[in-house]
Amino acid sequence: MKIAISGTYSAGKTSTVMALAHYTGVPRTLARTIREILPETFPGKALSEVAPHEFLQLMLRRHSGRVAQEAMLGEHFISDGSSLQEWLYGAGRVIHGMNPNATAGNEGGKVTELSAEMRFFGQVVDQYGHALKQHVKDTYDAYVHLQHELPIAADGHRPMNEAFRATIDSMLLRTLDELEIPYHVVSGSMPERLETIAGIFGLEPVMSTAEAIDLAWLDYGRQDFRMETERAAAA
């Protein structure tokens, strides 16, 4: 079974996937994140500084990485999100701006007026969306959607716009309904999440939740959380 763990940023998606892979023994995809792709693609730029045409390249690179990982793992894996995220983070920027931080104080956290550039960007993202939705429909058997119960982590990378996060969340669930992909909404502590997800899919634990969580935090700690500009300078 091919399972995607979905949720917006700061929902605990990555740590849940890491822990679930250890807990069940099911392999997880290891596609690189935008955070890892950005410094080599646009050295010295933060995500909030990326222009619309540049964001399209990031979407394509991220999707390509996912597809390669999915192909390597075959018919049984857990994925940290899916290519729907790439489309949604683009579509969400049409509503909330390329830098959602800048619109967080607006009514509904939205842009007040779309420029011609952003209207064209939206048209391109819509076309990407058709292809990415078809890929996800053809690839995944089921989704687990994590409710965003935690505040947004103010790490300088994630957009600090709660309305943007809510838009992504609602669009994702509507899209899963549209694609008729079964999904389960899960919440709770990390041990509760692991036990619930394993129970839904009949996955047999290969270790305790405590052991799996400890291993996941080791995995999580190996990630490079430096700002994009810092990594570019070091490179």
Side-chain angles (χ1 to χ4, degrees):
M1 176 169 276
K2 293 171 284 189
I3 305 166
I5 308 297
S6 71
T8 55
Y9 53 92
S10 289
K13 184 169 70 275
T14 297
S15 56
T16 298
V17 169
M18 289 174 171
L20 187 63
H22 288 297
Y23 184 57
T24 63
V26 176
R28 64 182 176 92
T29 56
L30 296 171
R32 293 193 306 159
T33 64
I34 291 290
R35 196 167 195 159
E36 294 170 299
I37 296 167
L38 182 58
E40 67 184 41
T41 309
F42 303 115
K45 276 198 173 185
L47 184 58
S48 60
E49 299 169 331
V50 169
H53 63 281
E54 295 171 329
F55 194 86
L56 294 172
Q57 182 183 168
L58 292 175
M59 290 174 65
L60 182 59
R61 285 178 180 266
R62 177 73 161 132
H63 169 64
S64 298
R66 286 190 188 278
V67 171
Q69 280 287 305
E70 292 162 354
M72 286 173 60
L73 292 176
E75 297 300 313
H76 195 48
F77 61 81
I78 302 164
S79 177
D80 184 349
S82 74
S83 292
L84 285 184
Q85 283 178 224
E86 278 60 76
W87 164 62
L88 289 168
Y89 285 141
R93 279 170 165 78
V94 178
I95 299 169
H96 298 279
M98 287 306 299
N99 177 11
N101 294 326
T103 60
N106 294 353
E107 183 177 354
K110 299 179 180 180
V111 296
T112 55
E113 185 177 353
L114 280 180
S115 65
E117 180 184 31
M118 285 303 293
R119 287 195 295 272
F120 182 70
F121 172 75
Q123 292 172 339
V124 176
V125 167
D126 284 347
Q127 293 303 309
Y128 274 27
H130 291 306
L132 298 183
K133 285 190 281 187
Q134 187 62 59
H135 170 74
V136 168
K137 172 71 174 175
D138 292 343
T139 301
Y140 287 91
D141 299 305
Y143 263 68
V144 170
H145 185 69
L146 302 178
Q147 292 185 335
H148 58 268
E149 304 167 293
L150 304 173
I152 302 172
D155 59 2
H157 177 80
R158 295 177 175 93
M160 299 299 291
N161 186 329
E162 189 60 53
F164 175 68
R165 183 161 74 151
T167 293
I168 302 302
D169 215 43
S170 61
M171 287 180 68
L172 175 60
L173 294 181
R174 288 200 306 271
T175 301
L176 293 178
D177 286 332
E178 171 195 330
L179 298 177
E180 299 182 331
I181 298 175
Y183 64 89
H184 308 266
V185 179
V186 171
S187 61
S189 66
M190 183 67 79
E192 290 170 336
R193 289 180 178 189
L194 299 183
E195 291 172 355
T196 299
I197 297 168
I200 288 170
F201 298 107
L203 302 173
E204 289 294 329
V206 297
M207 63 179 68
S208 69
T209 57
E211 290 173 309
I213 292 167
D214 285 344
L215 290 172
W217 284 124
L218 288 174
D219 291 341
Y220 200 81
R222 295 187 187 102
Q223 295 182 108
D224 189 346
F225 288 112
R226 289 174 297 168
M227 288 294 292
E228 293 85 349
T229 49
E230 294 174 324
R231 289 203 303 277

